Amino acid sequence: MTNAPPSRKPKTAAKKTPAKSVKKHKPATVLIVGAGFAGLGTAIRLQQAGIKDMVILERAGEVGGTWRDNNYPGAACDIPSNLYSYSFDQNPDWSRSFSGSGEILGYIKAMVKRFGLEKYIRFNQNVSDLAFDEEPGLWHATTDSGEIFSGRAAVMAQGPLSNASFPDISGIEKYQGHKVHSAAWDHDYDFRGKKVGVIGTGASAIQIIPELVKDASKLTVFQRTPAWVVPRPDFDTPDWQKTLFRKVPASQSALRKGLYLAHESMALAVIWNSPMTRLAERLGRWHLKRQVKDRWLRRQLTPDYRIGCKRILVSNDYYPALQQSNCKLITWPISRMSENGILTAEGIEHQFDCIVFATGFDVGHSGTPFPVRGTGGRKLDEDWKRGAQAYKSINVAGYPNLFLTFGPNSGPGHNSALVYMESQIDYIVKGVKTILDKNLKALSVRGGAQDEYNSRIQKRLAKTNWNSGCKSWYLTEDGVNATMYPGFATQYARQMASLELKDYELIPA
Amino acid sequence: MAMIDLDKMLVKVKSTQWALSDIDWDAPGADLITEEQWPKLKEFMTDLMWIEHVGARAFAAMAKKAPTDTLREIYTYFHAEEQRHANVEMALMKRWGMLDGDELPEPNINLRLIIEWLDRHSDEVPVYVLGTVVPMLEIALDGALCKFLLDTVDDPVCHQAFEKINDDESRHLGVGFSVMEMQGHGATYIKTVEMAAQIANPRVILGIASYFPLLNKMRDNVVAMGLSEEKLYACMEKFEKIGGRTKEGRSNPWFQIIKFHSRWMVDRSNKFYHVPVDALVKATSYIPRKLLPAVPSWVRELTYEPTA
């Protein structure tokens, strides 16, 4: 059970403006790429640590990352809001136990105001290149507008995935009807009375489908692999709770702690194969049986892989939506797309006014969203060709003073992404303070430490449910898991709690 | 039959997909069905369509239990392809004016029992049991019936459709026999013990109790329609010939069992087999349909419409 899909713009939205002249800005202490949860959280903690000389580069015209881009109908978080928020900025006023994307975006915007982050953010600055200049020990970020921003340290907080992904279906370019991607919702399109197809039955799709079925005259859902779906304990927050949280903030912290521990216990079901895994599967099957009476439909919706191997979905209204009279689930393989719709292997052409692609994102297992160049001209996408690797998910050998958020093997399968993010942010603050306090030109993780860390991680990953045989976006084509962290959030927090200088090479300025 | 490369076969299957809309259902030739042919052909097409459809469901069960990802994907396609064949046959029936509005033609009682069995038990039956029975059904029923149809019907649209269907079926058989051979690898003694255990499995016993009368019933039906019994038996013998060509194929105990059964089946003088099985056919014909549970919803997935 993770959180929101990461923030990305679809390929079509990425327009490059040719640079006319280069405008170099005065180097800052810290350069942050991305003004989503990770970038803004880093800025807050740096500011609280007294480091206020920073620049945040944001490619869009507003903050919010994931929650700005993923605003399709029904978009919501599948982690309770009291846990999917920062511990250092808790919100007593969440309207629901699982908030929608609009409310989460509101929380992010309010955070920017509360901590006065506006002054750091440079909007509409899409980074096209990030390079380390060894001599002065500076990272230079070149943006599409032709400006160069520099910093002694750089934080990549652009989200772990790079682009909205369209499926590899033959003839996709032939389709003449309207196309919408879940990560770039077309709010101007009127779905009322339309014949709509949805490709995908993942985390976004199961939120979109119950909304679309209300408007579309006919909704056809194309499923390749059924997911495990468990009930969502969603409810409106009672007023007394909001009052209590406002008057006694410790009560909210206590709830947060309780939620955290409850999610931690789910690691036993999700990450490793244990009796808890069987229990979780039983819960999923019970949920399906309770909501779907038809035996064949239930069979079509029953996953054939171990729970936890792919992302677990939470929904109370997905199965009922599929059984509406205007909705149909198609599990036949898709053969190709035509001018009018989708042809499936049972020989039928399903014709649509609009097709919604709820097909997720291009996962950057090995690539980077823009070229990142380290010492000696090395390139991160080349170094990661055989699967991304980092030391403690945050630093990469050969890329001094560069910190990753949601780097390789930092993904949570069972707990809030923001819990992991807080650990990363605090580590970044430690790293930046080390650079400043020791006046370093470069704080560079040693290759040996990185290799040793990764061999440990991969050994542990081999025993997890993610590596138990199903195909998922957690794995590269070669089956390498460069995405998930094989352990409890508490373990992750413990490994991030200290910055071991022995694992780094320190080059004085 | 030499073992085939299943990965290459999957690529081939994916690249040879076709749709109902590839056929011009309004092309001339529908009137070539004679008045005399019409009522028999209607019954024949109904049986054929249902056989394809139950074949589809069997592939669905095999996909669930397939030992490799490639085979799982292949069976998933075959499931869809059999459904496509049933859709095409329904579209032919529509073209020939054999459908009463949108109503689905009724399956005969033996097919109805097979549908019931497949729906309730097939997912629990080991893949190698279905993996041997399905090629037999495909070669005997599908093969014989399709050949008979093409020999009898002159409508060019029917020929065009069955050319495509037969291409698919040859791939199904290729994979079917290859999988039977794969299952023949290894110690025969262990396989025989495993098979013996399965024969004691009530699910398999029920399946056999539905399968035996189905074959005899279909024999009666095709004979009534004018297909010579020998042609049906010749197709069944092909199963023995192809399946037993290699040592691996012959080592598959399920192949041996099906082979012996087909020998009994084609030997009309074998009273020990035919008297009780024909009695079963007769007995099943008395089963009131009202006593059977509602048809499973996958049955209603059939359509003659090329577009949805």
Side-chain angles (χ1 to χ4, degrees):
Chain A
M1 222 162 316
T2 53
N3 315 294
S7 155
R8 282 302 111 203
K9 273 200 293 190
K11 280 172 186 168
T12 48
K15 282 180 190 164
K16 271 200 166 185
T17 323
K20 282 173 188 163
S21 61
V22 175
K23 183 179 171 193
K24 285 184 184 173
H25 294 268
K26 186 173 152 274
T29 302
V30 186
L31 196 60
I32 299 172
V33 182
F37 256 125
L40 298 172
T42 306
I44 292 169
R45 296 304 257 177
L46 283 170
Q47 192 172 247
Q48 287 173 340
I51 301 160
K52 296 179 180 172
D53 177 23
M54 60 184 137
V55 171
I56 305 173
L57 301 176
E58 170 53 52
R59 67 177 175 184
E62 61 170 329
V63 298
T66 294
W67 299 103
R68 176 198 61 226
D69 294 343
N70 284 274
N71 52 17
Y72 53 78
C77 186
D78 52 13
I79 289 285
S81 302
N82 277 303
L83 193 55
Y84 193 79
S85 46
Y86 279 128
S87 64
F88 50 77
D89 189 31
Q90 294 190 54
N91 170 22
D93 295 319
W94 292 115
S95 67
R96 303 189 62 77
S97 49
F98 291 82
S99 300
S101 71
E103 193 171 2
I104 299 172
L105 183 59
Y107 167 77
I108 296 173
K109 286 181 176 172
M111 204 162 61
V112 171
K113 271 206 178 130
R114 246 188 323 273
F115 292 93
L117 304 179
E118 299 95 333
K119 57 183 174 287
Y120 305 123
I121 307 171
R122 308 286 176 270
F123 287 111
N124 303 309
Q125 296 290 355
N126 186 34
V127 175
S128 55
D129 183 82
L130 186 64
F132 186 64
D133 189 348
E134 291 175 57
E135 193 39 48
L138 283 177
W139 279 96
H140 302 301
T142 309
T143 65
D144 283 351
S145 60
E147 295 176 54
I148 296 178
F149 297 86
S150 306
R152 288 181 71 178
V155 178
M156 285 179 69
Q158 78 290 337
L161 309 178
S162 16
N163 276 308
S165 133
F166 282 89
D168 182 20
I169 299 175
S170 130
I172 193 168
E173 70 291 343
K174 289 187 189 150
Y175 176 63
Q176 297 296 308
H178 198 67
K179 281 188 227 167
V180 176
H181 195 285
S182 55
W185 198 257
D186 181 354
H187 289 277
D188 296 331
Y189 187 76
D190 186 0
F191 285 89
R192 280 175 301 182
K194 300 279 174 34
K195 281 177 83 175
V196 181
V198 176
I199 300 182
T201 50
S204 308
I206 69 155
Q207 295 182 339
I208 293 169
I209 289 162
E211 295 304 315
L212 283 184
V213 81
K214 294 175 191 164
D215 288 337
S217 66
K218 192 176 172 200
L219 187 70
T220 308
V221 177
F222 293 86
Q223 171 189 279
R224 190 169 57 182
T225 315
W228 284 100
V229 182
V230 294
R232 181 186 184 90
D234 195 12
F235 52 86
D236 288 333
T237 310
D239 287 340
W240 64 260
Q241 187 181 299
K242 292 180 195 169
T243 312
L244 177 69
F245 285 173
R246 248 179 264 126
K247 291 191 173 162
V248 191
S251 62
Q252 188 168 16
S253 300
L255 173 69
R256 183 183 170 93
K257 190 76 186 166
L259 288 169
Y260 171 78
L261 292 173
H263 279 83
E264 277 293 76
S265 70
M266 287 180 205
L268 294 170
V270 174
I271 302 182
W272 303 283
N273 189 15
S274 74
M276 287 276 286
T277 312
R278 300 287 88 71
L279 267 181
E281 287 180 349
R282 203 171 276 188
L283 173 69
R285 270 195 289 268
W286 171 81
H287 186 49
L288 177 62
K289 195 163 187 180
R290 200 175 61 94
Q291 293 203 323
V292 179
K293 298 298 168 209
D294 181 72
R295 206 160 54 218
W296 179 247
L297 182 60
R298 217 158 52 219
R299 184 189 187 278
Q300 288 176 302
L301 292 168
T302 303
D304 58 2
Y305 58 86
R306 192 187 298 159
I307 198 165
C309 191
K310 294 183 188 213
R311 182 167 171 174
I312 300 172
L313 309 181
V314 276
S315 173
N316 298 335
D317 48 8
Y318 171 57
Y319 290 146
L322 287 178
Q323 294 168 89
Q324 297 295 306
S325 57
N326 61 333
C327 191
K328 178 137 183 74
L329 177 72
I330 301 285
T331 55
W332 306 116
I334 291 177
S335 309
R336 63 178 196 271
M337 284 183 73
S338 65
E339 270 183 29
N340 301 314
I342 297 168
L343 284 102
T344 38
E346 93 286 22
I348 307 301
E349 182 182 44
H350 305 269
Q351 299 184 336
F352 301 110
D353 299 309
C354 174
I355 295 177
V356 173
F357 294 87
T359 43
F361 304 85
D362 276 339
V363 188
H365 290 304
S366 53
T368 50
F370 42 79
V372 179
R373 293 177 288 137
T375 54
R378 64 197 303 162
K379 290 179 182 163
L380 196 52
D381 57 349
E382 281 175 12
D383 284 349
W384 280 359
K385 215 180 264 172
R386 298 179 67 190
Q389 275 199 7
Y391 168 78
K392 291 187 180 180
S393 80
I394 207 157
N395 294 125
V396 185
Y399 301 84
N401 308 353
L402 178 69
F403 299 90
L404 314 177
T405 62
F406 271 117
N409 298 110
S410 64
H414 66 287
N415 214 323
S416 170
L418 294 201
V419 168
Y420 286 69
M421 214 179 268
E422 282 194 31
S423 301
Q424 291 160 21
I425 290 171
D426 288 346
Y427 195 93
I428 293 169
V429 172
K430 280 187 207 94
V432 173
K433 276 180 77 72
T434 304
I435 293 168
L436 295 180
D437 293 350
K438 297 189 181 295
N439 193 23
L440 301 177
K441 196 187 326 183
L443 175 71
S444 185
V445 71
R446 295 179 192 278
Q450 181 176 313
D451 291 345
E452 201 183 304
Y453 175 82
N454 275 286
S455 97
R456 264 202 322 268
I457 282 280
Q458 288 302 327
K459 222 177 264 173
R460 279 164 56 188
L461 275 164
K463 295 174 191 151
T464 64
N465 289 338
W466 304 309
N467 290 37
S468 66
C470 71
K471 279 182 191 159
S472 75
W473 63 266
Y474 299 155
L475 308 179
T476 63
E477 287 291 309
D478 304 327
V480 175
N481 191 334
T483 313
M484 308 302 279
Y485 176 74
F488 293 98
T490 311
Q491 269 176 292
Y492 184 78
R494 199 175 302 143
Q495 83 164 25
M496 304 306 278
S498 60
L499 192 146
E500 306 284 344
L501 284 179
K502 65 176 172 41
D503 289 339
Y504 289 86
E505 193 183 348
L506 281 61
I507 303 169
Chain B
M1 181 166 287
M3 291 279 277
I4 54 172
D5 182 333
L6 292 176
D7 289 313
K8 281 187 187 159
M9 175 56 87
L10 178 58
V11 173
K12 176 90 178 161
V13 167
K14 284 184 177 177
S15 65
T16 47
Q17 290 300 309
W18 53 277
L20 265 69
S21 54
D22 296 342
I23 295 166
D24 179 5
W25 296 101
D26 297 323
D31 52 355
L32 294 172
I33 305 297
T34 63
E35 266 185 42
E36 193 196 352
Q37 268 180 327
W38 197 90
K40 282 182 183 175
L41 197 57
K42 183 180 174 183
E43 268 185 62
F44 180 90
M45 291 301 289
T46 305
D47 280 349
L48 186 58
M49 185 194 88
W50 282 109
I51 286 169
E52 303 270 20
H53 201 40
V54 299
R57 182 61 183 85
F59 276 123
M62 287 155 77
K64 275 255 181 217
K65 301 233 158 181
T68 65
D69 284 347
T70 306
L71 205 49
R72 181 176 306 140
E73 213 176 338
I74 288 177
Y75 285 149
T76 303
Y77 271 94
F78 286 0
H79 172 207
E81 288 179 353
E82 292 290 350
Q83 171 98 11
R84 176 165 72 208
H85 301 169
N87 287 340
V88 163
E89 284 145 17
M90 199 170 165
L92 278 171
M93 290 179 80
K94 176 79 180 165
R95 169 178 165 85
W96 296 332
M98 292 171 179
L99 295 184
D100 192 8
D102 282 342
E103 209 178 298
L104 208 55
E106 278 270 309
N108 72 45
I109 188 74
N110 297 95
L111 277 162
R112 183 70 185 75
L113 291 173
I114 284 280
I115 289 170
E116 203 50 43
W117 181 83
L118 281 167
D119 190 53
R120 290 189 180 272
H121 306 295
S122 62
D123 287 343
E124 310 305 326
V125 171
V127 67
Y128 52 85
V129 179
L130 287 173
T132 317
V133 177
V134 167
M136 177 57 169
L137 280 173
E138 289 215 88
I139 206 164
L141 298 180
D142 229 359
L145 298 185
C146 291
K147 180 150 189 357
F148 172 68
L149 185 72
L150 294 180
D151 288 347
T152 323
V153 173
D154 293 327
D155 182 356
V157 171
C158 176
H159 283 257
Q160 187 195 350
F162 274 90
E163 198 176 313
K164 290 176 180 294
I165 289 177
N166 285 337
D167 282 349
D168 292 343
E169 294 292 358
S170 64
R171 282 187 286 274
H172 294 191
L173 284 173
V175 171
F177 283 111
S178 214
V179 170
M180 275 169 61
E181 287 174 8
M182 273 161 62
Q183 287 154 3
H185 281 287
T188 309
Y189 170 73
I190 295 171
K191 288 186 185 307
T192 311
V193 172
E194 281 173 358
M195 181 198 67
Q198 281 307 322
I199 287 182
N201 178 346
R203 288 195 169 96
V204 175
I205 293 172
L206 265 177
I208 291 170
S210 311
Y211 169 73
F212 281 10
L214 172 72
L215 285 191
N216 275 34
K217 168 81 174 179
M218 294 311 298
R219 175 204 62 198
D220 295 347
N221 279 7
V222 295
V223 170
M225 277 180 250
L227 170 74
S228 83
E229 208 168 318
E230 283 66 34
K231 278 191 181 164
L232 176 64
Y233 297 157
C235 284
M236 290 180 80
E237 275 158 10
K238 256 195 210 166
F239 173 83
E240 182 174 339
K241 217 167 154 188
I242 304 174
R245 256 165 55 159
T246 60
K247 184 178 164 289
E248 288 78 16
R250 290 190 297 275
S251 305
N252 180 342
W254 283 96
F255 164 74
Q256 292 296 343
I257 270 220
I258 304 274
K259 180 187 84 178
F260 279 116
H261 169 252
S262 84
R263 283 188 189 168
W264 301 333
M265 164 83 202
V266 300
D267 180 8
R268 277 281 206 169
S269 65
N270 184 347
K271 298 272 186 280
F272 289 108
Y273 177 78
H274 285 287
V275 169
V277 175
D278 284 340
L280 257 181
V281 175
K282 195 155 191 190
T284 51
S285 70
Y286 292 116
I287 297 175
R289 289 194 176 235
K290 279 184 200 158
L291 285 186
L292 293 172
V295 285
S297 57
W298 53 267
V299 163
R300 292 191 293 268
E301 299 271 318
L302 287 173
T303 177
Y304 58 82
E305 299 273 12
T307 59

